[in-house]
Amino acid sequence: MKNILISPSLLSADFTNLKSDVEMINRSEADWLHMDVMDGVFVPNISFGFPVISAVSKICKKPLDVHLMIVQPERYIEQTAKAGAYIMSVQYEACTHLHRTIQQIHAAGMKAGVVLNPSTPVHLLEDIICDVDLVLLMSVNPGFGGQTFIENTINKVKRLRKLMDECGSKALIEVDGGVQGETAPRLVQAGADVLVSGSYVFKSEDPENTIKQLKSLSTSQESEERPSRT
Ligand code: DX5
Ligand code: ZN
């Protein structure tokens, strides 16, 4: 059985009621909580920063999956660790010395992820893929929740999976942007391990149940695999 990890994105939560949304995440089958930090430079939007991550980490029982959409993220490694991040993911396009940044993230005690924009090809990861714990493929242009899924991501996941198999990488493949009921099963089928989902979860009538449905892709993959094994 393949265990698909679900990482709901806090960007679509109700910011006037963050505590109750984090409590919902605690009760739910979510594996991680995705937190998007934006600087208004790397992306055209500004979201939230370390005081919010620290506050959420005090009440959230799930590991924090922190996605930095900022220039020179290496300036904030210590602060991200202190704020309580489990994973720190940095944008490939924002790092001049990615290898050093990944080493520093590990030295600070966090898992290290690298994020690719939709236009950045996966083959650029060839020489870093064995050093990272996670590769996050953006399936929308970063900066906003609620955008339309970019279809090319499906092929990109397949190409990344092939590259990782060839290199013997054990990194997880995470996908972020436009993940909903129709795109999620196709991403899992293509080889994704972790699904980030913002508006589909938080704007649904029953977010806890929506998370449960996304999580059930783990078991449905199992039942698809079973007939071929017998
Ligand atoms: C976008 C962020 C995403 C965002 C996804 O730049 O990185 O994490 O919250 O939102 P949805 O799932 O609504 O596309
Ligand atoms: Zn994100």
Side-chain angles (χ1 to χ4, degrees), residues 9 11 34 36 67 69 138 142-146 176-178 196-199:
S9 175
L11 192 63
H34 188 82
D36 292 297
H67 173 194
M69 281 161 274
M138 288 308 302
F144 304 92
D176 182 7
V196 175
S197 189
S199 48

Side-chain angles (χ1 to χ4, degrees), residues 1-75:
M1 168 187 162
K2 184 169 172 182
N3 183 27
I4 302 300
L5 304 181
I6 308 301
S7 190
S9 175
L10 197 75
L11 192 63
S12 293
D14 177 358
F15 284 7
T16 63
N17 239 324
L18 264 192
K19 193 174 181 197
S20 101
D21 277 353
V22 173
E23 283 166 352
M24 180 280 291
I25 293 293
N26 287 345
R27 285 192 308 271
S28 77
E29 292 183 31
D31 296 277
W32 299 343
L33 178 62
H34 188 82
M35 299 191 75
D36 292 297
V37 178
M38 304 179 189
D39 65 355
V41 179
F42 183 77
V43 288
N45 200 6
I46 297 177
S47 55
F48 48 76
F50 300 107
V52 174
I53 299 175
S54 293
V56 167
S57 82
K58 290 192 180 84
I59 55 169
C60 187
K61 294 179 182 156
K62 311 286 169 119
L64 301 185
D65 167 31
V66 178
H67 173 194
L68 295 183
M69 281 161 274
I70 66 172
V71 296
Q72 299 176 324
E74 64 277 4
R75 293 172 299 160

Side-chain angles (χ1 to χ4, degrees), residues 26-223:
N26 287 345
R27 285 192 308 271
S28 77
E29 292 183 31
D31 296 277
W32 299 343
L33 178 62
H34 188 82
M35 299 191 75
D36 292 297
V37 178
M38 304 179 189
D39 65 355
V41 179
F42 183 77
V43 288
N45 200 6
I46 297 177
S47 55
F48 48 76
F50 300 107
V52 174
I53 299 175
S54 293
V56 167
S57 82
K58 290 192 180 84
I59 55 169
C60 187
K61 294 179 182 156
K62 311 286 169 119
L64 301 185
D65 167 31
V66 178
H67 173 194
L68 295 183
M69 281 161 274
I70 66 172
V71 296
Q72 299 176 324
E74 64 277 4
R75 293 172 299 160
Y76 295 102
I77 293 170
E78 284 305 322
Q79 253 177 291
T80 306
K82 275 195 195 119
Y86 169 65
I87 302 173
M88 173 174 172
S89 294
V90 295
Q91 292 277 157
Y92 176 91
E93 304 82 4
C95 296
T96 309
H97 300 288
L98 180 60
H99 186 270
R100 178 185 293 147
T101 302
I102 296 298
Q103 283 181 316
Q104 290 172 337
I105 294 172
H106 282 146
M110 295 176 286
K111 300 280 182 199
V114 60
V115 191
L116 298 187
N117 274 341
S119 63
T120 306
V122 294
H123 70 79
L124 291 174
L125 295 178
E126 200 177 309
D127 292 300
I128 195 74
I129 196 87
C130 285
D131 298 300
V132 295
D133 304 293
L134 177 128
V135 178
L136 171 50
L137 297 181
M138 288 308 302
S139 38
V140 297
N141 287 295
F144 304 92
Q147 301 182 81
T148 304
F149 182 79
I150 296 172
E151 194 55 38
N152 183 54
T153 313
I154 300 286
N155 281 325
K156 217 169 159 181
V157 172
K158 290 181 188 164
R159 275 184 273 122
L160 176 58
R161 178 57 68 200
K162 190 163 174 278
L163 178 72
M164 284 170 39
D165 288 347
E166 283 164 8
C167 303
S169 166
K170 298 270 178 284
L172 295 173
I173 301 178
E174 182 174 37
V175 182
D176 182 7
V179 174
Q180 28 79 349
E182 192 274 324
T183 51
R186 293 195 291 125
L187 285 165
V188 170
Q189 193 66 39
D193 302 297
V194 189
L195 302 175
V196 175
S197 189
S199 48
Y200 180 65
V201 167
F202 284 98
K203 310 292 181 211
S204 69
E205 255 177 46
D206 184 349
E208 214 179 309
N209 193 45
T210 305
I211 292 168
K212 190 185 175 74
Q213 281 172 16
L214 287 171
K215 186 68 188 172
S216 75
L217 289 169
S218 307
T219 43
S220 54
Q221 167 108 353
E222 179 188 35
S223 53

